[in-house]
Amino acid sequence: MAGFSDRVLRLRRQAVAVVFLALGLAACVSENPAYPAYYRFAVDVKVDGKPVTIERVIKCTGEFVTGSTVAPSATFSRTYISPPVIGAKVPDSAAAVYVPVISACFWAALDDEGRTWEGKTVDDWEAAAPFTEAHRTLKPDSRLPILWVEDPERFANIEYHISERALSGRHGRIEFVRAHPPEKVDEAAFEASERRARLESPDLTPFFFPEDSKVIHGTKIYRDRFAKWQGRRGKPRIGTYCLAAWVIPREEWTRVPGVEQWVETLRKDENTAYRLSDDLNDAFREHIPTSRRGRGNGQSLFPIGYVSDRDREEVGRFAFFDTAHPVIHTPEGLYIDLQRSGLAGCNYEALHPERRHWVWAKANFLRDVTPNGVTVARLDGSQLWLAIRTLERFFIADIDAFVVFRAVSTGVSKSGEPVEQGWKE
């Protein structure tokens, strides 16, 4: 039997359908009877040598949408996981670690013989369970990205470990040990997990928000962090924003026709980064594909290191984040940590709006200098102070290299509903 929260969620989604009809959009939203379903999700890691298990019971909900404005005659399904990110506190430390949740909802909604709620048997249904030999990509030895937060009350220092190098335990604080195959459980197990999370889980709110975002507007945490921005331009993101940087040395960028000649024309002033000429962008992208044209970004995080042969051929070293450097957000600006690689640096803008990437990128960019503009860049030891827009290419004479910023997703940004330590009060 569905609990009270399920009945409230159903009423909200029925209201969504009414709104669609009132607006003449002719969309129908209905509950997916396969859900709710529940499964246990757990990952083992070591943080500075200390074993930590990140574990929680996940709730799956879903709906069907028919007659949308995008596809008026089609019916498609939406599935939500709550929570989409889980966390654990590090023993004898103020720190916490988090992992994005891999959806196993389709598998969890089947019975023990692989049948749907309609009684239809699904072929190869066992292959839908991640971290098993049957799964196509998420094998038992798969690694997932890990977020490390120095203090989950202030969220001033957030690292996102997104490569095999960073998760090996040999080059940093995180060692990824194991992702456990999911385990089907029931509503009682979910409610027990929620009670534990109320006391044991770190704050999850910086990493997702409910699908119906209006339900959080009355919460204390939303009022404290976002109410003051109401009606103002440039308000902070609700979620955390992560950046990594590719540094492209001379031996790579000289392979691009015309770029070496373009670099020779620059004045190469101190503390200056030059934006690549627009007419060279296509050639640069073709020879140094930091992302795939028209097919997303190329790099896979779920799991780490899984790359198709096509991506490996098209993107080369940029198919992995092992050589990407973290972009660190500070009140004084952003800098690339040239000593470390395989991770991204993140900022929770709600608590640290003065560190926002776009604010610094806009403030430092000088559009009226050279036809393509320049920005301020300063090398201080292994710290390259720089803030540029993502996927734009800037040449920096101090390191004789081009730099490209890349935003990195922390996983699913929406949950089906609020949960303990995740917008629930």
Side-chain angles (χ1 to χ4, degrees):
M1 179 179 294
F4 175 75
S5 63
D6 296 320
R7 292 195 295 272
V8 171
L9 193 63
R10 184 176 297 110
L11 288 172
R12 285 198 195 106
R13 288 172 178 163
Q14 288 171 347
V16 170
V18 171
V19 170
F20 269 97
L21 292 172
L23 293 174
L25 300 180
C28 178
V29 181
S30 59
E31 293 296 311
N32 185 338
Y35 301 111
Y38 307 90
Y39 62 96
R40 178 181 178 269
F41 184 81
V43 167
D44 295 331
V45 299
K46 289 183 180 179
V47 184
D48 295 323
K50 300 174 184 176
V52 180
T53 295
I54 315 172
E55 179 269 341
R56 191 145 172 179
V57 172
I58 308 303
K59 179 179 180 179
C60 304
T61 52
E63 63 191 13
F64 294 117
V65 179
T66 303
S68 70
T69 54
V70 177
S73 61
T75 296
F76 62 93
S77 63
R78 293 177 181 148
T79 304
Y80 303 98
I81 52 178
S82 304
V85 175
I86 60 176
K89 298 174 182 177
V90 178
D92 304 317
S93 166
V97 284
Y98 299 79
V99 62
V101 173
I102 297 296
S103 177
C105 290
F106 175 76
W107 169 83
L110 301 174
D111 68 14
D112 290 340
E113 296 182 1
R115 292 180 298 224
T116 69
W117 65 275
E118 298 172 299
K120 298 178 181 178
T121 300
V122 176
D123 294 335
D124 298 326
W125 62 274
E126 292 173 309
F131 314 119
T132 63
E133 288 293 349
H135 198 278
R136 186 175 66 87
T137 58
L138 291 159
K139 301 296 184 181
D141 60 350
S142 296
R143 296 180 181 183
L144 299 177
I146 298 293
L147 285 146
W148 176 85
V149 178
E150 184 177 37
D151 181 347
E153 292 185 3
R154 297 181 59 244
F155 289 96
N157 185 7
I158 306 174
E159 298 176 354
Y160 196 22
H161 297 251
I162 53 175
S163 69
E164 292 188 348
R165 171 186 172 85
L167 294 168
S168 67
R170 299 187 299 273
H171 305 284
R173 66 180 87 250
I174 302 296
E175 179 184 350
F176 192 95
V177 178
R178 182 191 181 198
H180 295 261
E183 175 188 350
K184 291 182 184 180
V185 295
D186 57 16
E187 184 178 15
F190 172 73
E191 292 174 347
S193 174
E194 289 296 284
R195 288 192 294 271
R196 293 194 301 273
R198 187 182 311 155
L199 301 175
E200 300 172 4
S201 171
D203 183 5
L204 303 178
T205 54
F207 304 112
F208 66 88
F209 52 93
E211 174 262 335
D212 181 3
S213 60
K214 292 182 180 178
V215 303
I216 67 176
H217 289 177
T219 62
K220 182 179 185 300
I221 198 164
Y222 184 87
R223 293 195 304 270
D224 290 348
R225 297 181 184 180
F226 298 98
K228 62 185 177 182
W229 296 92
Q230 196 67 31
R232 295 168 57 182
R233 297 182 61 185
K235 58 186 177 182
R237 294 177 175 86
I238 291 183
T240 296
Y241 186 64
C242 301
L243 284 171
W246 302 110
V247 176
I248 301 165
R250 171 175 283 270
E251 56 264 30
E252 288 183 328
W253 61 257
T254 51
R255 298 202 302 261
V256 183
V259 169
E260 188 170 13
Q261 292 80 358
W262 177 81
V263 167
E264 290 174 355
T265 68
L266 301 176
R267 291 174 51 185
K268 301 181 184 63
D269 293 335
E270 190 178 9
N271 297 334
T272 303
Y274 296 85
R275 183 173 175 268
L276 182 66
S277 175
D278 292 338
D279 58 2
L280 292 171
N281 269 319
D282 286 345
F284 202 102
R285 189 185 298 112
E286 184 71 24
H287 288 79
I288 304 178
T290 53
S291 63
R292 301 172 300 179
R293 184 194 301 272
R295 294 175 52 240
N297 292 313
Q299 300 86 0
S300 173
L301 295 180
F302 307 101
I304 295 290
Y306 175 80
V307 177
S308 69
D309 292 340
R310 179 180 177 181
D311 289 340
R312 193 184 301 268
E313 181 179 347
E314 288 187 5
V315 186
R317 76 172 174 101
F318 303 104
F320 310 94
F321 282 109
D322 294 84
T323 59
H325 300 277
V327 178
I328 310 301
H329 304 70
T330 81
E332 293 77 35
L334 279 65
Y335 71 85
I336 303 168
D337 187 339
L338 298 175
Q339 277 193 329
R340 296 193 296 164
S341 61
L343 62 158
C346 309
N347 182 37
Y348 182 40
E349 297 182 357
L351 294 184
H352 305 283
E354 76 286 354
R355 305 182 183 194
R356 283 176 292 178
H357 162 242
W358 73 267
V359 172
W360 284 102
K362 183 178 180 180
N364 290 344
F365 186 65
L366 307 174
R367 189 177 300 276
D368 57 347
V369 179
T370 80
N372 296 282
V374 303
T375 193
V376 177
R378 177 171 58 88
L379 184 62
D380 184 5
S382 62
Q383 298 177 354
L384 177 61
W385 290 82
L386 180 70
I388 56 177
R389 293 195 301 182
T390 56
L391 301 183
E392 290 194 339
R393 300 154 186 84
F394 278 79
F395 177 76
I396 301 164
D398 288 341
I399 59 173
D400 197 24
F402 281 85
V403 171
V404 181
F405 273 22
R406 165 70 202 282
V408 185
S409 169
T410 57
V412 178
S413 61
K414 293 182 181 179
S415 66
E417 59 190 61
V419 293
E420 295 294 343
Q421 298 295 343
W423 298 105
K424 186 174 184 179
E425 291 189 344

